[in-house]
C-alpha cells in the first residue's frame, strides 16, 4: 500500500467513526460541546441576569428606604445598581466571564454589607 492509499484508508475510517450529524462517535464530550452557549447567547444571558439583579436591587433599595432611611442603605444598594450596569456593559463588549464573576462577587458583597453594616 502506498502512502496515499494509507491516508485514504485512514480518512475513510475517520468518516465511519463519525455519526450522521458530523460529531465524532465515542467521544463523550462531543455532545456536551454542542450544548454550550454561543458567545452571543452568553452575552444575552448575562445582560438578562444583570437586568434582573438590577431590578431586584431597586426593589430591595425601595423597601429598605421605606423602613429605614439611611445614607448607608442608599450607598450599598446604589453601588449594587451601578455594578449591575457595569456588568451589562461588560457583557455587551464581550467580557462575559469577567462580568459574571463581578456580578456574583458584587451582589454577595452587597448582601453581606447589608447584613453586617446596616443595623
Amino acid at each position: 500500500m502506498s502512502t496515499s492509499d494509507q491516508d485514504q484508508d485512514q480518512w475513510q475510517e475517520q468518516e465511519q467513526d463519525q455519526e450522521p450529524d458530523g460529531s465524532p462517535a465515542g467521544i463523550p464530550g462531543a455532545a456536551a460541546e454542542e450544548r454550550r452557549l454561543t458567545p452571543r447567547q452568553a452575552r444575552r444571558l448575562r445582560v438578562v441576569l444583570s437586568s434582573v439583579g438590577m431590578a431586584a436591587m431597586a426593589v430591595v433599595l425601595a423597601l429598605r428606604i421605606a423602613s429605614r432611611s439611611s445614607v448607608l442603605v442608599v450607598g450599598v444598594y446604589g453601588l449594587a445598581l451601578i455594578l449591575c450596569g457595569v456588568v451589562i456593559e461588560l457583557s455587551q463588549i464581550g467580557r462575559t466571564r469577567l462580568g459574571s464573576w463581578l456580578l456574583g462577587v458584587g451582589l454577595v458583597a452587597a448582601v453581606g454589607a447589608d447584613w453586617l453594616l446596616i443595623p
Side-chain angles (χ1 to χ4, degrees):
M1 221 185 250
S2 70
T3 306
S4 62
D5 290 337
Q6 289 175 348
D7 291 340
Q8 188 175 12
D9 288 339
Q10 288 175 352
W11 183 72
Q12 287 174 350
E13 288 174 5
Q14 288 175 353
E15 282 186 347
Q16 290 172 353
D17 287 342
Q18 291 200 358
E19 295 176 353
D21 64 351
S23 63
I27 300 175
E33 287 180 354
E34 291 176 9
R35 294 184 189 145
R36 293 183 65 172
L37 295 174
T38 64
R40 178 177 285 169
Q41 289 172 331
R43 285 192 298 269
R44 285 183 183 166
L45 179 64
R46 289 342 178 268
V47 168
V48 168
L49 289 176
S50 296
S51 300
V52 168
M54 187 179 279
M57 288 296 140
V59 168
V60 172
L61 175 62
L63 293 174
R64 294 289 290 183
I65 288 177
S67 68
R68 176 173 290 128
S69 181
S70 168
V71 174
L72 195 56
V73 170
V74 174
V76 167
Y77 287 103
L79 287 175
L81 287 169
I82 292 170
L83 173 75
C84 290
V86 167
V87 170
I88 289 171
E89 288 299 316
L90 285 172
S91 295
Q92 288 178 348
I93 62 171
R95 301 289 181 203
T96 55
R97 278 185 246 150
L98 175 63
S100 297
W101 280 103
L102 191 60
L103 182 65
V105 170
L107 292 182
V108 167
V111 171
D114 180 25
W115 184 63
L116 290 174
L117 299 176
I118 302 171

